[in-house]
Amino acid sequence: SKEAWDYWTKESTAKELDMEAQRLGRIIIDPEKSKSKMAKPFLLDTDDDILDIEEDRQRQLSQSSKSSKSSESSQSSEEANQMERLSWIQIRSDSLENARYNPTAKAFFQRTPNQIEGYDVMWVSAIDNACMDNLIGSFCNYGVEFAHNFGDWLDASPEDGYHTIEDIASYKARQVYEVTGLPCIASRTSFEVEPVMPIPGRDSRGVATRGGGAAGGASRQYLSPRVTSGYKFNDIGDHVDYVVEALKPYSEPTRVTRFRSCFCYYDGDMEIFEYGELDCDLLYANSLRTYIPMSHGLYELSETLQLTFGLEYQKWLKKKVKEALGGDQNRASMRLRDRVLKEGRVLPNDIVDVSSFMDSKVDVNLMDECGRELCSRFEKYKPSKILTVATTGLVVAIPMAKYLQVPVVYARKERSVVMSNAYQAGYSSKTVGKNRELLVSKQHIEDDDRILIVDDFLSAGSSQEALLRIISDSGATPIGVGVLIEKVYDAGRQALSGYDVPVESLVRVASVKNGVLTLFEEEGFSNKIVDEKS
């Protein structure tokens, strides 16, 4: 059958592969070259060389024991031992062998990632085909495109069933990397059934047997070794379901089985392993449970690779948002800062009056720019709704909703006739007084929502905390609090710190002493002024 590269129409610039070369038998490692960092992990061998494998193994073990005195030689010895173990693995992938000798395969794997779809790098995989969608979903948000999945691996000899899942996964990843030249993620899953310790006078299910006591010979006929023995397979297939169904009638339902998935990342320089495990009662065990440890292992691997290589979540989306917003996004906070200094007034009770451009009278262009800048700070958290307080919070919430393409839900301060079933939370404010209440209809918030709280001011944090309590009551997830102006002297940020959500503000007021507005100097603000003047 044809493979994906057989349909690759782009003209290949690679040299024709030598179709006469045959890669038969096992692969072995050259002990001398294994010490070099530049050595390839696998070398071609001939049938005659296989007879010398035992001699090579003894020589490598002897060399490794002599070099164990230093850490550098110990590491080299460990690598050589690993290569020796991998040289005995014979599992085979027909599609990989096809790619090895296909003249169009090299161009297929060297193609550039689909940048239109947001991909930055090209990798390849060797996992079960049924789990490929999960793999793509785990890494697509980090800009990783998978050129192909080699999921047709089969054991070539009975000995392949005795290798560890770590060695199998490493072998697959290295083989695929050797052919494609791309970083590879490979996997292997094992299945185990715990052994049953015989109990005198009881069968394998714990039921009392005829003859009773510890010395009763009749009880032993119920303890078949086929039932009490433990089982371990280093691959998942129909044999797992067969063994499970055969053991169920003679075992306790709670007899423990374990699915363990090993993932290996290999790029020629670095090898990383991660695992996913599932302990399952025999009653519920079957081969489909493999998806659970596979999903867990993929998540752990994505987290590890994200930290290792600095993969950025949804980098493509941030780039698109930045292009859509256009220009310097910090300009909005600079303009807002300028308007606060010029038109803001300090009223009694330390109230900051900015009604001339964002309350009674609204500068819609300024609010639109401010909304865009706040969007750039929160779009990575993927909000599904914006929650604000009527009516002052709407001046910035609506522009933000436009750019994030999410709906706005606002909390009312009085119950409406159409609001029969609502979440409610009390709060106090200098501007509206004490013992006030916010209400949000239960129809507008779902438990799977990711909600961004947006408001015009952050003072003592009372209203924002009330909104966070409403989100908590609904079962939704708060992802952040964004405000236009923050009164730092009121310590509202500290009041919200217990909710463990990011808080962003465009302008921070340091003090209003003696009726004078004093703002914090934002990072990079002075440099921006210098750049504009120059």
Side-chain angles (χ1 to χ4, degrees):
S1 61
K2 287 191 174 183
E3 302 290 347
W5 43 86
D6 293 321
Y7 299 95
W8 182 248
T9 57
K10 185 175 181 179
E11 184 177 356
S12 174
T13 59
K15 295 180 180 179
E16 292 291 334
L17 297 176
D18 184 6
M19 301 302 294
E20 299 297 329
Q22 298 295 326
R23 191 179 182 86
L24 302 175
R26 294 192 200 89
I27 50 176
I28 61 173
I29 189 69
D30 188 327
E32 297 299 323
K33 292 186 177 181
S34 68
K35 299 178 181 179
S36 171
K37 295 182 179 179
M38 301 302 295
K40 293 184 178 180
F42 299 105
L43 302 174
L44 291 174
D45 67 325
T46 62
D47 294 337
D48 293 336
D49 293 331
I50 299 177
L51 300 176
D52 300 327
I53 289 178
E54 186 62 29
E55 180 181 352
D56 291 340
R57 187 195 313 182
Q58 295 298 329
R59 184 169 62 254
Q60 291 171 9
L61 293 176
S62 176
Q63 291 174 351
S64 64
S65 62
K66 294 178 181 179
S67 61
S68 60
K69 296 181 180 180
S70 63
S71 59
E72 182 177 356
S73 59
S74 177
Q75 182 178 2
S76 176
S77 173
E78 182 179 353
E79 179 183 357
N81 289 336
Q82 180 188 10
M83 294 302 103
E84 196 275 337
R85 294 196 310 272
L86 298 185
S87 69
W88 289 86
I89 299 176
Q90 301 181 57
I91 60 173
R92 180 182 176 88
S93 167
D94 291 338
S95 60
L96 184 63
E97 294 304 312
N98 182 305
R100 192 187 303 276
Y101 305 116
N102 193 308
T104 62
K106 186 173 182 179
F108 175 78
F109 290 113
Q110 289 181 346
R111 71 187 192 272
T112 58
N114 189 346
Q115 297 181 352
I116 297 179
E117 295 294 331
Y119 296 111
D120 300 319
V121 295
M122 185 77 74
W123 291 0
V124 72
S125 61
I127 69 172
D128 294 336
N129 290 321
C131 298
M132 191 58 196
D133 288 341
N134 198 347
L135 177 67
I136 294 174
S138 298
F139 286 91
C140 66
N141 285 322
Y142 296 102
V144 178
E145 180 180 3
F146 286 91
H148 188 72
N149 178 54
F150 296 93
D152 58 342
W153 294 86
L154 296 174
D155 291 353
S157 70
E159 288 76 13
D160 288 332
Y162 295 97
H163 296 288
T164 65
I165 57 176
E166 290 83 1
D167 285 347
I168 294 289
S170 176
Y171 177 87
K172 291 164 64 175
R174 290 169 180 267
Q175 284 286 282
V176 173
Y177 172 78
E178 181 185 6
V179 173
T180 65
L182 296 175
C184 178
I185 294 177
S187 71
R188 186 78 164 193
T189 301
S190 64
F191 173 73
E192 302 176 45
V193 181
E194 70 169 354
V196 176
M197 300 303 296
I199 302 176
R202 301 277 178 175
D203 64 13
S204 62
R205 292 172 293 177
V207 179
T209 58
R210 293 175 299 170
S219 64
R220 296 184 180 180
Q221 62 181 328
Y222 294 94
L223 300 175
S224 170
R226 294 186 178 182
V227 176
T228 60
S229 297
Y231 293 84
K232 183 174 182 178
F233 305 95
N234 74 347
D235 196 11
I236 302 298
D238 293 338
H239 53 277
V240 171
D241 295 324
Y242 175 81
V243 169
V244 168
E245 293 302 319
L247 292 177
K248 279 183 179 179
Y250 306 101
S251 301
E252 293 186 25
T254 57
R255 188 175 181 180
V256 178
T257 66
R258 171 171 293 179
F259 296 85
R260 189 167 191 257
S261 297
C262 173
F263 287 88
C264 175
Y265 168 88
Y266 184 76
D267 62 4
D269 296 321
M270 184 178 298
E271 188 173 51
I272 299 174
F273 290 93
E274 282 293 349
Y275 300 89
E277 289 187 357
L278 169 68
D279 287 346
C280 178
D281 289 346
L282 182 67
L283 179 64
Y284 303 105
N286 58 66
S287 58
L288 294 179
R289 303 297 179 190
T290 310
Y291 289 105
I292 299 175
M294 287 284 287
S295 298
H296 178 67
L298 281 173
Y299 173 79
E300 295 295 332
L301 183 65
S302 65
E303 292 291 307
T304 301
L305 295 180
Q306 179 188 2
L307 295 175
T308 304
F309 300 112
L311 300 178
E312 187 175 353
Y313 184 78
Q314 290 193 341
K315 181 180 178 181
W316 62 274
L317 180 59
K318 296 178 184 178
K319 182 179 178 181
K320 291 294 183 182
V321 170
K322 187 174 182 179
E323 292 175 354
L325 298 180
D328 184 9
Q329 299 170 25
N330 292 329
R331 188 178 298 275
S333 59
M334 294 171 60
R335 287 191 58 195
L336 179 61
R337 177 189 182 91
D338 184 62
R339 294 291 291 273
V340 170
L341 290 174
K342 289 182 178 180
E343 303 180 31
R345 297 184 303 153
V346 179
L347 302 180
N349 204 18
D350 292 340
I351 295 175
V352 178
D353 178 22
V354 288
S355 59
S356 62
F357 58 91
M358 54 179 286
D359 190 355
S360 302
K361 179 182 176 183
V362 178
D363 186 335
V364 294
N365 291 329
L366 176 60
M367 293 299 102
D368 186 84
E369 293 178 11
C370 292
R372 288 192 297 177
E373 182 169 339
L374 281 176
C375 284
S376 68
R377 302 187 187 188
F378 286 104
E379 49 87 17
K380 63 182 177 182
Y381 299 108
K382 300 180 65 176
S384 61
K385 284 187 177 76
I386 290 177
L387 180 62
T388 188
V389 178
T391 57
T392 54
L394 291 172
V395 297
V396 66
I398 291 176
M400 289 183 66
K402 179 183 70 172
Y403 290 111
L404 292 174
Q405 288 296 291
V406 297
V408 176
V409 178
Y410 63 87
R412 296 177 179 268
K413 298 175 182 177
E414 295 180 356
R415 185 177 295 273
S416 170
V417 293
V418 298
M419 191 179 292
S420 58
N421 195 9
Y423 300 107
Q424 59 187 32
Y427 77 107
S428 300
S429 171
K430 292 180 180 180
T431 56
V432 298
K434 298 181 179 180
N435 301 323
R436 301 304 297 267
E437 194 174 50
L438 293 179
L439 301 100
V440 177
S441 175
K442 292 186 176 180
Q443 298 178 351
H444 298 156
I445 300 181
E446 306 292 338
D447 57 3
D448 59 348
D449 279 329
R450 296 174 56 82
I451 299 179
L452 171 62
I453 294 176
V454 174
D455 211 344
D456 57 344
F457 274 92
L458 173 59
S459 297
S462 179
S463 61
Q464 290 81 15
E465 186 180 10
L467 294 179
L468 285 167
R469 292 201 304 270
I470 289 176
I471 295 174
S472 177
D473 292 342
S474 68
T477 303
I479 59 98
V481 176
V483 296
L484 295 175
I485 302 174
E486 176 185 358
K487 299 178 183 178
V488 179
Y489 55 86
D490 273 345
R493 185 181 292 263
Q494 287 78 3
L496 303 179
S497 60
Y499 290 92
D500 193 25
V501 294
V503 178
E504 295 285 348
S505 58
L506 298 187
V507 174
R508 295 188 300 160
V509 180
S511 171
V512 291
K513 290 182 179 180
N514 301 321
V516 178
L517 277 167
T518 304
L519 307 184
F520 273 100
E521 188 78 5
E522 301 296 337
E523 182 179 356
F525 182 78
S526 298
N527 295 334
K528 181 64 182 176
I529 298 297
V530 172
D531 293 340
E532 289 187 348
K533 290 182 179 180
S534 60

